[in-house]
Structures are given as C-alpha cells and as structure tokens.
C-alpha cells in the first residue's frame, strides 16, 4: 500500500513538472516570439555582391564590394559540396525540424564532461541562417531562444534546398571571402565544379573557425579539421573508405587567383565610382552587383597617360634639379634606411624608375647601391646623364649648369634613376651594363581628356602625374582659368553679330574704365606688341588679346556669356570684359565638351564615362547613347535583313554657319598659329591654345570630327610656370596633344569637318598664300552685304576698325579681298 501511494505521489509530481515545464517552455516561446524579424523576407534575399566596371574592350577596370561574394544557386552547386557542409555542420539537417535536439543533448553532455575544453556549439544550419540573416551575434540565452523559434518558422516556410542556398552563399569562410563560391576562387583559383574532394572538405571545415583553420597559418590544425570532415562524410555514407583515404593523402595547395585581364585607369575608375555613388547610392554600388560598361578605351588611355607623363617630365627637367629624393646621414645603415624611405614615401612614376643610394661620387660618374635586379644591387650614373640638373631657382628659373657630379649629388643621397642602354643620339655608343640616368618626380601637374566628338563618350581621362601620389583629379575637379582657350566662344558671338573671318579689327592699346572707383583695365597682348588693323582670322590664329577684347565689347559681354553657357563652359559667369580673355574658372572636362560641340556643329552632348549600367539580373537601368539605331532590333519574319543605321535626331542648338566659321578659323591655329607645329600631322584639327596671366595655366584643346582632346598643365597651388615662349599652351600642352594624335590617328585617313549648307567658300590671298575662307551668304567679298558692312563703318561693328572703314592714322591698310567662291 505504501509503495502504491509513493508511486501515485511520484506520478502526480512528474505530471505537475511536465505541466509546469510545458507551460514554462510555451510561455518562453510566446514571450520571445513577439517582435521577431519577419522570416518571410528571406524569400526576397539578394546577397551583397560586387559591382564591376568594364572597359570598352571587355577588360575588368575595377571592382567594388563590402563583401567579396559570388552568388551561386543551389541547383548549380555540386552535390558533394552540399554533402560536405551538411556532414560538417549539421549531420541531421535533412531530418530535423529546424533544431537538432539530439545534437543539443550531445553538446550539453560533452560540455559537462569536459569543463576545461572549449564549449561545443549545437546550432544547426537553419539556426545559423536565422542568426546570420535575422539576428545579431550576441551570445545570450534570449538570442538562442529567438534563434530556435525562427529556425522552426524558416523550416515551415522554405525547402531544405533553399535554406542551404542561403547558408552557402552567405557564410564567412575567412580572408574576406563570403560564400563558398568566392572562397573556392580565392583559395584554390577554381570554380565549385572543379574542386577536388579534399578541397571541398577543407572549405566545409572553415565555418567553425576560419582563422584558426587557415592553411597558411595553422597547417596542422587545418589538415586535422579537413580530415575530420572527410571522416564525417564517410560515416554518413557520402563517400567510401577509399575516397576518404585518397582525399586525406592529398596535399592542399593554396593557389592565388589567376591574373585577370585588367585595364589600368585609376583616375577614370574613381570618377566613375563617384558618379555611380551619386546616382545610385552606397548600398547599390557596394552590394547590388551592378555591371557597368564604361567608355574607356584602354589603348587610348595608355597613350594619354604616357603623353601627359612625358610632357610633365619635359617641363620639369627644363626647370632644373630640386635636390635628392631623401638623405641617409649614416651610410652604415643605408639598407635599413632605404627600406624605411621606400615604405614611407613610395615612388610614383614609370615602372622603370627606381630608388638608389649614392655610395661614391667621382669626377665623371656616381656609384649607386640599393638597385634591385642587379648584381650586388650596384650601378653607375655617368655625368652625361645628369647634365640637365641645374639648380632650380625662384619663379621657375634655373641656375648654372652643373660642372661635375658633385654639383648635383653627394654620398648618402637617395635619388631616382632609370636604367639606360645608350646616350641620346642616333650614333651614340652603348653604355656598359648597369648604367643609369638621373630622374626626378615632377612637382607640376596636369590632366588629359580624350572625348568622342559626336557622342561625348570619354575614351580616356588622366587626372595627374600619378593616382598613387594624389587622388585629386585635375581633369574633373580642378577649376582653373581657361585663358585664351576661351576665345573661340567670343569669336562665335562675333560671328553671330555679323562679323566674318575677313573682318578687320584694330590690334592696338586698349583701356577700359569700369567706373565706380575701380582701376582702369588695360590688357596687353602676349609679348606686348601690336599688329594694327588685322583680320579676325589672324587675331584668333595668333591669339591677340586686344582684338578679342574689342570684339567682346562691341558684341556685348551678355552675348558672350550666353554663348559660354550654351556650350557648357560655365553655369554662371559675370558679364565683365576681362571674362572675354578667359578669367572665369572652369574644368578641363567642360572645356573638352564645349570644343567637341563646336566641332560637331553644335549638337548637344553630355560627357559620359559610362555606356550602360545593368543590375544583378542583367536589366539595363542606364544607357548613355543619345542616338537611335535603325535595324538593330529583331527583323520582321520573312523580311530581308537591313544593315543597322545610327539615326541622329539631334538638332543644332546654335547657328551651324557661325559655328563652322569659328571651327574653320581654329584650323588655322593648328597650321599657321600658336599651335602651328600640328600642321605636320596632315589632318584638319580645330584647336586653340590657352595661357593665363603670369603663365599660371597652360591649355590646348584640339578637335577632329571624331576625337576631341583637352590638355591642361599647371601647379596645384597656382603659380607661374615660368617665363618665355616655351611656358605657354603652345610650348607645354601642344606637344602632349601631338604625341597623343600621332598614336591614335596612326594609319587613319583624315576626316574633313562637315560644312553646313548655304555657306560660301571664297579663295583669296592671305599672309602671302591662298586660303579658302568661309562666308555667310551676302557677306562674301564683292557682295552688297560685304561692301556695306565692311567699308562704310555702319555695320554692327561700328566704332571698330573694320575693313575699309575708319582707321587709325598711319595704320597700314589690309589688301582688299577679292575672289570667286563656291556655295556649299
């Protein structure tokens, strides 16, 4: 009887405990289930993937991501990859309802039995998905309960395959790799279906502790964990004993990812990144997997980079030697000091440049040490390769040429050198091996933009000497005065007002009193000379300041400002007379665009570094091409295929006749004017040089019907580039254009500029030769419009010396313009 009563008491107690326990568990689940994230959002899961920029030839340009990941659908993953991760992380994944209770009990028993060891975890794959996607990593009981609740809900909503897909694409596997596909590429340079069983097992070993099982740092532990995974796969029936033994015998080989065909254009890529960031935001750029097709032509970019670099070096050498790159006071520790200098101040410049230490100075040579790739790291610098190194003086002047190496360097100097084979000159004898020339990193900067004249596509963009030295992009971010390169827009306003290229304007002293107590403004021509009455064409070719100011005053600065705004040179500009000489600030990219629109006949373009942007699904979200393509789509069934045709529906936004007159005069700049050296290229180029006050900025912009190139040279902190004809747009910027043009136009036939209908082309004598000049109907020599406008002084240029009108006493008359013409 007593035994029966005891059993009844125990049964009642057990029942009460079960009721209380069940209620407690139910209460906990009810409590923690409130406020949980919606697990259904996983249905729309889109993993953070890299955005990639591609050059026009398909080469990778840049990649942007917060997490390196390649998303692979579970259906495309090899079955063995799935089996390996299930065996390693969640043995009963395919049978449990979200939480592996057997695994939890096993982990509790193991942790109690081994109190001194690292605690074992019991979170299965579904729980890890809940934690990684919907919760935090906070190690608390409350989080574990929420994790379990979400795991049950996830299992009720999604298939096991979908849960595995989420897990295997999101999991962190060390070294910045997210997802199993990205890890396969970066650890073994293989796709998932190329992995060996041993490599698959190693990847499945990593989720437990990616850093601890890194094969490079902890080889023994990495192999032990891999072998454990292989053992689990055998025990669960995924592989045979023989397969396990073979995989365990295989030595893992970490293989760096193979070199991808990459285009190099750092300034270009950074500008694209900035534009994408502004257009789509940080999350889209770094997580949404955008595919960006850029306008970059890598071949043209390389030409532009080299030409700009050569131009900056040429300028810098002309202005002397600024001293050693660094100094090592104690030569007994020169190796350590050189390594420290190279790390602290990385050398920027051509890849053939390198740092060296002067170990000995002799009468006609310098001994060098620290040169990589040479026997003993030694080399010789002959005096012949350092004769240019006269000391730099203030205002960009130079001192006396050096008479010996001691005038340039001393022992302990760290200098920049480049290996050379022979002196400059066609018949020079080769140097001995390990001979070097003295180099110097320029402190002057510059920019280049190469643009498609018809579409505004930026084919190349160089923002300075080196992106490694300075990320400031002088082609886009530097606001500078364009100087005389602004003049074509003054001349365009003059053509609109009735001037012609043959109109005559006085090139003589000019003063302007702005009033209100401001000083009188008296501009000068470069060189300080005067030509007297001179044709408008000659004024532009020779960049005459005083003629430009007179025309701007006559046609009205408001009209000049309007033209500048139309062509995008500026958004806002004061209607002040000094602005006619380029005193307003703009950027190289804007000026290149403006010149391109002059050259294409005033068809509107927008500079673009991007052709197309696609989202992760391949849908096009942006396309730059402003023109339509007839015949590019699907052809109607049964119809004869037609050749695709680009249809340009744009209309000129400015009078094409006036625009062409300016472009025609600008071609004279590159044959007879300030850029006359370009005549040797033998093709029509409409260009203009620019030099600002005190030669602080040098410009040249040149256009063909296909390509427009803009070049800027100057210091980041504006100061004079020096004095003399060499320190001008024609002396510094034009040679850079010439070097670029020789390369990009090589073996290409010249393309003439399109002449708008209705213009009259008249032959006449000009500067000792005969040229074709362009006139609007009724203004050509011999017409009533020409006689009335130019000879009686009553035209819109009244008050300016024009043709046979009022002339300054003693000034020479220009010969009359006669000839026959053709109408186009």
């Amino acid at each position: 009887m007593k035994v029966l009563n005891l059993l009844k008491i125990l049964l009642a107690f057990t029942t009460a405990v079960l009721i209380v326990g069940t209620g407690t568990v139910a209460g906990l689940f009810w409590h923690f289930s409130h406020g949980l994230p919606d697990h259904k959002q996983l249905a729309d899961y889109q993993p953070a993937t890299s955005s990639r920029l591609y050059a026009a030839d398909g080469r990778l340009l840049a990649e942007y991501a917060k997490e390196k990941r390649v998303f692979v659908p579970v259906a495309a993953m090899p079955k063995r990859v799935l089996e390996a991760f299930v065996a390693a992380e969640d043995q009963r994944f395919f049978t449990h309802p979200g939480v592996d209770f057997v695994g939890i009990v096993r982990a509790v028993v193991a942790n109690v039995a081994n109190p001194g060891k690292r605690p074992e975890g019991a979170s299965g794959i579904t729980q890890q998905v809940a934690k990684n996607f919907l919760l935090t990593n906070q190690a608390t009981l409350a989080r574990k309960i929420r994790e379990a609740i979400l795991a049950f809900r996830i299992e009720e909503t999604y298939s096991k395959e979908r849960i595995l897909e989420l897990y295997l694409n999101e999991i962190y596997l060390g070294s910045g790799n997210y997802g199993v596909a990205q890890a396969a590429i970066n650890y073994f340079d293989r796709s998932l279906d190329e992995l060996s069983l041993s490599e698959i097992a190693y990847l499945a070993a990593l989720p437990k502790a990616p850093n601890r099982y890194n094969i490079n740092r902890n080889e023994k532990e990495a192999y032990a964990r891999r072998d454990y995974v292989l053992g689990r796969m055998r025990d669960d029936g995924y592989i045979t004993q023989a397969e396990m033994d073979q995989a365990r015998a295989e030595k893992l080989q970490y293989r760096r990812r193979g070199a991808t065909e990459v285009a190099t254009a750092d300034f270009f890529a950074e500008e694209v990144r900035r534009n994408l960031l502004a257009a789509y935001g940080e999350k889209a750029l770094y997580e949404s997997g955008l595919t960006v097709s850029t306008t970059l032509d890598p071949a043209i970019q390389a030409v532009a980079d080299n030409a700009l670099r050569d131009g900056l070096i040429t300028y810098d050498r002309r202005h002397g030697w600024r001293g050693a790159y660094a100094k090592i006071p104690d030569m007994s520790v020169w190796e350590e000091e050189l390594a420290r200098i190279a790390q602290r101040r990385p050398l920027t410049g051509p890849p053939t440049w390198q740092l060296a230490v002067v170990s000995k100075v002799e009468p006609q040579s310098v001994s060098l040490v620290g040169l990589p790739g040479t026997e003993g790291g030694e080399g010789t610098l002959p005096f012949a390769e350092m004769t240019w190194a006269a000391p730099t003086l203030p205002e960009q002047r130079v001192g006396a040429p050096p008479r010996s190496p001691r005038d340039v360097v001393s022992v302990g100097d760290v200098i920049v050198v480049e290996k050379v084979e022979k002196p400059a000159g066609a018949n020079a004898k080769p140097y001995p091996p390990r001979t070097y020339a003295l180099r110097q990193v320029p402190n002057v900067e510059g920019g280049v933009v190469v643009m498609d004249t018809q579409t505004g596509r930026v084919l190349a963009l160089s923002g300075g000497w080196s992106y490694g030295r300075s990320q400031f992009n002088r082609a886009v971010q530097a606001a500078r005065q364009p100087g005389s390169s602004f003049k074509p827009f003054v001349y365009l306003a003059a053509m609109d007002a009735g001037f012609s290229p043959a109109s005559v304007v006085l090139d003589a002293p000019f003063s302007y009193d702005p009033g209100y107590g401001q000083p009188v403004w008296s501009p000068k021509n470069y060189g300080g000379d005067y030509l007297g009455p001179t044709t408008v064409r000659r004024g532009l070719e020779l960049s005459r300041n005083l003629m430009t100011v007179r025309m701007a005053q006559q046609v009205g600065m408001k009209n000049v400002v309007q033209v500048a705004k139309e062509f995008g040179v500026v958004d806002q500009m004061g209607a002040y007379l000094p602005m006619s000489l380029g005193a307003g600030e703009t950027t190289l990219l804007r000026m290149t665009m403006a010149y391109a629109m002059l050259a294409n006949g005033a068809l509107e373009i927008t500079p673009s570094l991007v052709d197309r942007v696609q989202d992760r699904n391949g849908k096009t979200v942006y396309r730059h091409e402003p023109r339509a393509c007839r015949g590019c789509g699907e052809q109607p069934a049964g119809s004869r295929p037609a050749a695709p045709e680009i249809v340009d529906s744009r209309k000129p936004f400015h009078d094409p006749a006036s625009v062409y007159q300016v472009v025609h005069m600008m071609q004279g700049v590159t044959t007879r004017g300030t850029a006359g050296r370009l005549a040797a290229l033998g093709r029509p180029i409409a260009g203009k040089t620019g030099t600002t006050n005190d030669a602080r900025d040098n410009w040249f912009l040149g256009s063909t019907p296909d390509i427009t190139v803009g070049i800027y040279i100057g210091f980041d902190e504006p100061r004079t580039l020096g004095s003399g004809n060499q320190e001008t747009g024609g002396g510094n910027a034009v040679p850079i254009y010439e070097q670029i043009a020789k390369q990009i136009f090589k073996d290409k036939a010249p393309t003439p500029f399109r002449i708008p209908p209705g213009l009259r082309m008249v032959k006449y004598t000009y500067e000792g030769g005969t040229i074709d000049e362009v006139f609007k109907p009724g203004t050509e020599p011999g017409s009533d419009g020409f006689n009335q406008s130019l000879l009686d002084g009553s035209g819109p240029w009244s008050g300016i010396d024009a043709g046979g009108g009022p002339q300054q006493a003693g000034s020479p008359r220009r010969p009359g313009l006669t000839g026959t013409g053709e109408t186009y």
Side-chain angles (χ1 to χ4, degrees), residues 247-589:
R248 283 184 170 181
E250 180 182 320
K251 183 173 176 59
L252 292 170
Q253 291 186 346
Y254 175 75
R255 289 182 290 271
R256 289 189 175 276
R257 189 173 180 179
T260 306
E261 279 288 324
V262 176
T264 303
D266 293 333
F267 285 107
F268 187 105
E270 173 59 15
E271 185 60 21
V272 173
R273 189 197 68 84
R274 291 175 64 243
N275 291 343
L276 291 172
L277 200 61
Y280 301 109
E282 183 175 348
K283 184 176 178 63
L285 176 59
Y286 289 98
E287 300 180 22
S288 295
L290 300 176
T291 298
V292 183
S293 302
T294 73
T295 59
L296 179 77
D297 185 318
I300 294 179
Q301 180 68 53
V303 169
D305 286 340
N306 291 335
L308 176 62
R309 187 169 287 167
D310 290 347
L312 297 178
I313 291 172
T314 299
Y315 169 85
D316 190 69
R317 284 173 66 105
R318 195 167 59 242
H319 291 275
W321 173 246
R322 295 187 303 278
Y325 189 83
K327 182 74 175 177
I328 298 176
D330 183 1
M331 282 296 290
S332 66
V333 292
W334 71 263
E335 290 177 290
E336 296 89 337
E337 286 297 313
L338 179 61
R340 190 176 295 112
I341 290 166
Q343 183 177 22
R344 190 171 60 246
R345 290 182 58 196
L347 179 63
T348 60
T352 53
W353 287 17
Q354 48 195 305
L355 295 178
V357 181
V358 175
S359 60
K360 187 177 182 181
V361 181
E362 299 184 22
Q364 288 300 314
S365 66
V366 171
S367 296
L368 305 172
V369 292
L371 291 160
T374 63
E375 185 179 345
E378 298 178 348
T380 301
L381 170 61
F383 180 58
E385 294 295 340
M386 53 199 307
T387 54
W388 62 269
T392 295
L393 301 178
E395 301 298 315
Q396 293 303 103
R397 294 176 293 111
V398 294
R403 293 171 294 180
S404 74
R406 295 185 185 280
D407 294 336
V408 182
V409 297
S410 58
V411 172
D413 282 353
V414 179
I415 58 176
V416 182
V417 296
E418 182 179 26
K419 195 170 186 178
V420 290
E421 294 182 355
K422 64 177 185 177
N427 300 317
K429 293 182 179 180
Y431 281 129
R434 295 182 291 168
T435 299
Y436 291 80
L438 182 65
R439 300 290 184 250
Q440 177 173 252
V441 177
N443 61 356
V444 70
E445 281 290 1
V448 173
V449 175
V450 183
M451 183 180 291
D452 185 310
T453 301
Q454 300 300 324
T455 65
R457 296 175 71 246
V458 178
L459 307 178
L461 183 147
S462 238
W465 166 258
S466 166
Y467 189 79
R469 178 170 77 174
S470 166
Q471 288 78 54
F472 183 65
N473 192 330
R474 287 112 193 133
V476 178
Q477 296 173 296
R480 297 288 187 265
Q481 293 180 346
S484 296
S485 63
F486 180 77
K487 288 176 181 174
F489 304 101
V490 178
Y491 280 67
L492 180 54
M495 297 301 107
D496 291 338
F499 281 79
S500 80
S503 299
V504 178
V505 176
L506 185 63
D507 183 23
F510 176 92
S511 293
Y512 171 71
D513 186 356
Y516 303 101
Q518 299 181 69
V520 173
W521 181 57
S522 300
K524 306 288 184 185
N525 285 324
Y526 182 82
D529 61 334
Y530 310 104
L531 298 180
T534 306
T535 62
V536 168
R537 165 177 285 280
R538 195 63 176 158
L540 185 59
E541 290 177 354
L542 299 181
S543 196
R544 308 302 289 180
N545 291 341
L546 298 173
M547 293 175 64
T548 304
V549 171
R550 278 192 165 87
M551 282 190 290
Q553 185 183 48
Q554 185 63 27
V555 304
M557 274 304 298
K558 287 185 178 180
N559 293 322
V560 173
V561 170
Q562 182 60 34
V563 169
K565 288 182 178 180
E566 278 184 340
F567 282 82
V569 176
V570 291
D571 291 326
Q572 298 295 329
M573 187 172 85
Y576 310 119
L577 209 51
M579 295 293 182
S580 65
L581 298 182
E585 291 185 340
T586 186
T587 66
L588 178 60
L589 184 64

Side-chain angles (χ1 to χ4, degrees), residues 439-764:
R439 300 290 184 250
Q440 177 173 252
V441 177
N443 61 356
V444 70
E445 281 290 1
V448 173
V449 175
V450 183
M451 183 180 291
D452 185 310
T453 301
Q454 300 300 324
T455 65
R457 296 175 71 246
V458 178
L459 307 178
L461 183 147
S462 238
W465 166 258
S466 166
Y467 189 79
R469 178 170 77 174
S470 166
Q471 288 78 54
F472 183 65
N473 192 330
R474 287 112 193 133
V476 178
Q477 296 173 296
R480 297 288 187 265
Q481 293 180 346
S484 296
S485 63
F486 180 77
K487 288 176 181 174
F489 304 101
V490 178
Y491 280 67
L492 180 54
M495 297 301 107
D496 291 338
F499 281 79
S500 80
S503 299
V504 178
V505 176
L506 185 63
D507 183 23
F510 176 92
S511 293
Y512 171 71
D513 186 356
Y516 303 101
Q518 299 181 69
V520 173
W521 181 57
S522 300
K524 306 288 184 185
N525 285 324
Y526 182 82
D529 61 334
Y530 310 104
L531 298 180
T534 306
T535 62
V536 168
R537 165 177 285 280
R538 195 63 176 158
L540 185 59
E541 290 177 354
L542 299 181
S543 196
R544 308 302 289 180
N545 291 341
L546 298 173
M547 293 175 64
T548 304
V549 171
R550 278 192 165 87
M551 282 190 290
Q553 185 183 48
Q554 185 63 27
V555 304
M557 274 304 298
K558 287 185 178 180
N559 293 322
V560 173
V561 170
Q562 182 60 34
V563 169
K565 288 182 178 180
E566 278 184 340
F567 282 82
V569 176
V570 291
D571 291 326
Q572 298 295 329
M573 187 172 85
Y576 310 119
L577 209 51
M579 295 293 182
S580 65
L581 298 182
E585 291 185 340
T586 186
T587 66
L588 178 60
L589 184 64
R590 276 179 171 263
M591 287 295 289
T592 307
M593 173 192 68
Y595 270 63
M597 289 191 288
L598 284 175
N600 71 21
L603 299 177
E604 185 174 2
I605 60 174
T606 301
S608 178
L609 286 76
V610 173
D611 278 334
R612 183 172 63 172
V613 179
Q614 295 170 284
D615 64 15
R616 69 171 72 221
N617 300 314
K619 179 183 177 183
T620 298
V621 296
Y622 168 81
R623 187 189 296 275
H624 167 70
E625 175 59 69
R627 302 169 298 177
C629 181
R630 183 182 295 143
C632 291
E634 293 185 5
Q635 301 288 339
S639 65
R640 186 176 181 180
E645 177 187 359
I646 298 295
V647 180
D648 195 343
S649 59
R650 294 174 295 174
K651 303 296 182 185
F653 60 84
H654 202 96
D655 178 18
S658 294
V659 170
Y660 183 77
Q661 285 182 306
V662 173
V663 168
H664 196 248
M665 287 188 285
M666 290 166 67
Q667 292 177 63
V669 174
T670 62
T671 53
R672 296 174 295 271
T674 53
R677 65 183 289 165
L678 299 182
L681 295 176
R683 64 180 57 244
I685 300 170
K688 184 69 187 75
T689 55
T691 307
T692 59
N693 283 347
D694 299 323
R696 289 170 176 252
D697 306 286
N698 286 176
W699 298 71
F700 179 74
L701 298 108
S703 295
T704 69
D706 305 313
I707 301 291
T708 298
V709 181
I711 295 145
Y712 159 79
I713 302 291
F715 290 101
D716 283 347
E717 295 182 4
R719 55 189 173 94
T720 183
L721 289 164
S723 58
N725 292 333
Q726 194 68 41
E727 315 313 337
T728 61
N732 284 318
V734 169
I736 297 175
Y737 178 91
E738 183 179 25
Q739 185 173 333
I740 294 172
K742 283 181 177 178
Q743 293 293 319
I744 65 176
F745 295 135
K746 187 178 181 180
D747 300 326
K748 294 181 181 178
T751 304
F753 287 93
R754 179 181 170 275
I755 305 175
L759 286 174
R760 293 277 293 168
M761 190 75 77
V762 177
K763 288 186 178 293
Y764 72 98

